[in-house]
Amino acid sequence: MHNAKIIGTGHYVPENIVTNDDMAKIIETSDEWISTRTGIKERRISTGENTSDMAAKAALKAIEDAKISVEDIDFIFLATYSPDAFIPNTACIVQSLIGAVNATCFDLSAACTGFIYGLDMATQYIKTGRAKCVLVIGAETQSKLLNWDDRGTCVLFGDGAGAAIMTTGEEAGVLACYSGSDGTKSWTLTVEGVPVRNPFVEGNPGSMYDLQNSTIKMDGKEIFKFAVGIMIKSVDELLKISGLNIEDIKYVVPHQANYRIIESTAKRLGLDIGKFFINIDRYGNTSAASVAIALDELAKSGNLEKGDKVLMVGFGGGLTYGGVIVEW
Ligand code: COA
């Protein structure tokens, strides 16, 4: 078995900053409501860049950070629920944008837990020798899936991308991976897909379809209840798997869905909120990109030293959840 290690990170967000006051010009809301309920002050919204564009920019930064050649990459796992298209997969588009000619590329769909699932998969591919160098990306253009008339959802989400390069390492890098799903709660966060419509369906509705209704619908309260409990369970499981104590963890990088979820998790774990890396105020919830962007910002902050242990943890539509502990 080989060790798997993160050797570089990068992120990219659109330049267009949309503040809570800007949102209040579009729908009936206020900076006060959004800030106190969620911790969000502003988010980045694409003015035309699609998921692959942002993903490629984040990937190039991670490649530069890792000091590898783009030809070294043998797999690209791209986590998103807002791909450019059904076919080709967005990972293949990124491959062509960055010139990763030796990579096998595919997307994975696990909503906000996508980047964590991707790190887990890359770890297993590297451990078994199937891969030597994996580019893991979390990227979303959620703005194209939002119902901009629904104030209960459109204020929460943002666009962006984050990436990590994983390779085999001399020392241990990834110390633990944990994941799970609860499909019985799939109704709590949805974006409808294409219904079955073909000449063999009763009434012969034909093959035309209308994606107008494919916007994000969410039961925020139900997810809130689920989130805190599952973050704590994931942390407990990760500590058990790694044999570490919570005191051994230098930073927690949580999914950035709501400041209050992070705060409650910290309280129930008995941890100082200062141990949690938080950037939700600047980006909102960027789904699969959320943990990836936060990890890169933490890495570039100068606060991480070699040997520090970082615990990433998240949850999302599906419902999905999980986490990873890495030694920096
Ligand atoms: N601006 C102003 N008022 C708003 C609003 C907005 N943007 N959105 C909702 N409201 C109103 C509601 O209409 C409701 O009004 P009413 O009491 O007159 O009916 C009131 O605010 C309270 O709404 P509620 O939904 O109960 O608020 P909340 O305290 O539960 O917070 C969320 C809502 C969505 C912020 C919160 O439930 C949450 O963050 N849940 C988790 C969601 C999540 O993480 N999703 C992503 C999963 S990866």
Side-chain angles (χ1 to χ4, degrees), residues 27-30 33-34 37-38 111-113 150-157 188-189 218-225 227 255-261 285 287 315-317 319:
I27 36 143
E28 207 185 320
T29 189
S30 63
W33 193 96
I34 303 171
R37 301 284 176 131
T38 70
C112 307
T113 323
D150 176 14
R151 67 179 182 173
T153 52
C154 74
V155 301
L156 304 175
F157 299 97
T188 56
L189 184 54
M218 183 182 79
D219 184 329
K221 276 197 189 342
E222 194 64 28
I223 295 179
F224 198 109
K225 273 192 280 176
H255 171 44
Q256 315 278 320
N258 185 317
Y259 182 81
R260 291 187 295 140
I261 291 176
N285 178 349
S287 189
F315 60 91
L319 294 175

Side-chain angles (χ1 to χ4, degrees), residues 178 230-240 246 252 265 269 311 313 325:
Y178 171 73
I230 212 65
M231 296 258 274
I232 288 160
K233 181 180 159 65
S234 300
V235 171
D236 285 347
E237 294 293 339
L238 286 165
L239 292 176
K240 248 189 259 166
I246 193 78
V252 178
T265 305
L269 285 170
L311 188 156
V313 62
I325 298 179

